[in-house]
């Protein structure tokens, strides 16, 4: 039998996009896989950033926004910590009681006093340390790490050490004062002495942190300004006053605001410094801050509604500080634009 008479085999069935056989006359859709990859790429570019930032917002909602709203709602009720679901509506009575509470005003005065005693020396010393570290020194990296060590120290450990230093009978501070003929000081039971001692702890812990912030800002100042001032015959002190300080105004303002907010929320240092006095801030509330007063009302006296009102009052104070910051920074910006023009 010749090869010409053998019939040709039928053509093999074509595979479709889903893996099945295509019928006669059907064709595979062109670019189906590439279209799907392109669509998936667009979805990834559109929704991936939201997925990356979603954990922050979830944690903020759970541990930030919800406590803030719940505290605001609790501040309008009479509620005890032992029965947080048993609320009785009182409106603004918790806030009005604060306005006539002498202990609230005492804690507010103490907070302002300790804030001033800690913020002003802290930032002044930090500015001087940053100015020294800005020079080319041997082992500058070591000194930069050393100034940050107090910030990394535990609040409890630092405060307990300062309690021993400011001890009335065997403290090293009184021992040093005795060498120059000054009688021993009862640091914990005096009003100004206790506030000065607590402020010293804050200064020791946060000076290095602010010094590194100032140092980073100083290194961003153009060297041409210093060279021009040096050609004009300006001394190092004059360069510091007329070049460094004006260039650091935004940074100084930032550190002042942050330190003020930290002083408003001061809790750990006075709490541990008081020893057995606990949240009262001394035997006569002489260094009780707003944070300690909030803790005393909420977790000692179990008045959750009053504690919530104190918390919201502190929040409003921080908003006021932020408003002052915005007004001052806006004024500084206008003055800089006016000087440039």
């Amino acid at each position: 039998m010749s090869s010409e008479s053998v019939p040709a085999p039928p053509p093999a069935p074509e595979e479709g996009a889903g893996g099945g056989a295509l019928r006669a006359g059907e064709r595979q859709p062109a670019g189906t896989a590439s279209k799907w990859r392109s669509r998936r790429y667009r979805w990834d570019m559109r929704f991936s950033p939201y997925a990356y930032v979603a954990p922050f917002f979830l944690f903020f909602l759970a541990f930030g926004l919800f406590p803030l709203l719940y505290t605001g709602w609790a501040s309008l009720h009479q509620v005890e910590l032992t029965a947080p679901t048993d609320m009785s509506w009182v409106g603004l009575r918790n806030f009005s009681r604060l306005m006539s509470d002498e202990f609230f005003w005492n804690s507010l005065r103490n907070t302002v006093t300790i804030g001033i005693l800690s913020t002003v020396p802290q930032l002044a010393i930090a500015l001087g340390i940053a100015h020294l570290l800005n020079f080319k020194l041997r082992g500058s990296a070591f000194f930069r790490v050393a100034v940050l060590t107090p910030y990394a120290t535990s609040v409890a450990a630092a405060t307990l050490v300062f309690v021993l230093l400011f001890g009335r009978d065997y403290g090293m501070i009184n021992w040093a004062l005795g060498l120059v003929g000054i009688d021993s000081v009862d640091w914990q039971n005096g009003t100004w002495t206790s506030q000065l001692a607590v402020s010293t702890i804050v200064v020791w812990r946060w000076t290095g942190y602010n010094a590194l912030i100032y140092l980073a800002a100083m290194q961003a100042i153009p060297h041409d300004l210093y060279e021009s001032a040096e050609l004009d015959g300006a001394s190092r002190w004059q360069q510091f006053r007329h070049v460094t300080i004006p260039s650091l105004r935004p940074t100084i303002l930032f550190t002042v605001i942050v330190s003020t907010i930290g002083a408003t929320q001061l809790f750990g240092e006075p709490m541990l410094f008081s020893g057995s006095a606990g949240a009262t801030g001394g035997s006569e509330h002489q260094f009780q801050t707003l944070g300690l007063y909030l803790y005393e009302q909420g977790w000692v006296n179990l008045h959750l509604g009053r504690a919530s009102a104190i918390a919201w009052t502190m929040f409003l104070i921080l908003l006021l500080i932020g408003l002052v910051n915005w007004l001052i920074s806006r004024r500084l910006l206008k003055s800089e634009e006016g000087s440039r023009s």
Side-chain angles (χ1 to χ4, degrees):
M1 190 175 186
S2 64
S3 59
E4 296 179 357
S5 61
V6 176
E14 298 181 1
E15 294 291 333
L22 291 176
R23 297 179 180 179
E26 292 184 355
R27 294 183 180 181
Q28 182 179 5
T32 303
S34 61
K35 288 181 179 180
W36 170 251
R37 285 195 299 267
S38 177
R39 183 181 302 173
R40 188 174 58 181
Y41 175 77
R42 290 197 302 269
W43 289 350
D44 181 57
M45 294 297 294
R46 179 178 299 178
F47 299 109
S48 291
Y50 297 99
Y52 294 146
V53 300
F56 166 76
F57 287 102
L58 292 177
F59 278 98
F60 174 74
L61 291 175
F63 302 103
L65 184 61
F66 173 74
L68 180 65
L69 297 178
Y70 178 81
T71 303
W73 179 252
S75 66
L76 304 176
H77 293 77
Q78 181 180 355
V79 53
E80 301 298 321
L81 188 62
T82 54
T85 58
D86 186 10
M87 293 185 176
S88 177
W89 176 268
V90 294
L92 298 177
R93 192 175 70 178
N94 288 325
F95 292 94
S96 62
R97 292 186 63 175
L98 286 180
M99 298 300 102
S100 59
D101 189 355
E102 60 177 340
F103 294 108
F104 168 77
W105 292 108
N106 174 71
S107 62
L108 181 59
R109 285 193 300 268
N110 294 340
T111 301
V112 173
T113 304
I114 295 176
I116 295 174
L117 291 176
S118 60
T119 300
V120 176
Q122 172 192 155
L123 298 184
I125 297 173
L127 193 60
I129 293 176
H131 183 63
L132 294 177
L133 293 177
N134 196 30
F135 293 105
K136 295 182 179 179
L137 301 175
R138 291 183 178 179
S140 58
F142 168 77
F143 291 111
R144 294 174 185 179
V145 174
V147 298
L148 195 60
T149 303
Y151 172 71
T153 306
S154 170
V155 178
T159 306
L160 291 178
V161 170
F162 274 87
V163 168
L164 296 177
L165 291 176
F166 285 101
R168 183 186 60 183
D169 299 324
Y170 304 103
M172 187 176 293
I173 303 297
N174 281 337
W175 172 78
L177 293 177
L179 295 179
V180 295
I182 301 177
D183 296 334
S184 298
V185 178
D186 192 357
W187 294 97
Q188 286 189 344
N189 293 323
T191 301
W192 285 100
T193 55
S194 60
Q195 294 178 5
L196 181 62
V198 173
S199 302
T200 304
I201 306 173
V202 180
V203 170
W204 182 81
R205 289 196 67 241
W206 291 94
T207 297
Y209 175 81
N210 289 296
L212 292 184
I213 294 178
Y214 288 148
L215 178 61
M218 287 180 182
Q219 293 180 346
I221 300 175
H223 292 281
D224 298 342
L225 299 178
Y226 292 103
E227 293 176 357
S228 300
E230 189 174 359
L231 291 176
D232 292 338
S235 62
R236 286 291 181 89
W237 171 246
Q238 291 175 335
Q239 293 178 23
F240 179 75
R241 287 181 54 194
H242 300 289
V243 177
T244 305
I245 297 297
S247 301
L248 292 180
R249 282 179 183 174
T251 307
I252 294 175
L253 180 61
F254 168 77
T255 54
V256 168
I257 297 302
V258 172
S259 300
T260 304
I261 293 175
T264 306
Q265 300 174 338
L266 192 63
F267 176 78
E269 290 84 351
M271 178 70 175
L272 296 173
F273 186 77
S274 60
S276 59
T280 58
S283 57
E284 297 181 358
H285 303 266
Q286 61 267 21
F287 56 94
Q288 186 183 47
T289 60
L290 286 174
L292 283 183
Y293 185 60
L294 185 154
Y295 180 81
E296 181 186 23
Q297 290 295 320
W299 279 262
V300 178
N301 299 334
L302 305 179
H303 301 320
L304 186 58
R306 298 182 190 177
S308 300
I310 299 171
W312 261 82
T313 303
M314 295 173 62
F315 177 67
L316 294 177
I317 292 174
L318 295 180
L319 289 181
L320 180 61
I321 294 174
L323 178 61
V324 172
N325 173 31
W326 179 75
L327 292 175
I328 294 177
S329 54
R330 184 180 179 183
R331 184 175 180 179
L332 290 176
L333 181 61
K334 287 184 178 181
S335 62
E336 290 179 0
E337 292 177 354
S339 61
R340 291 175 183 176
S341 59

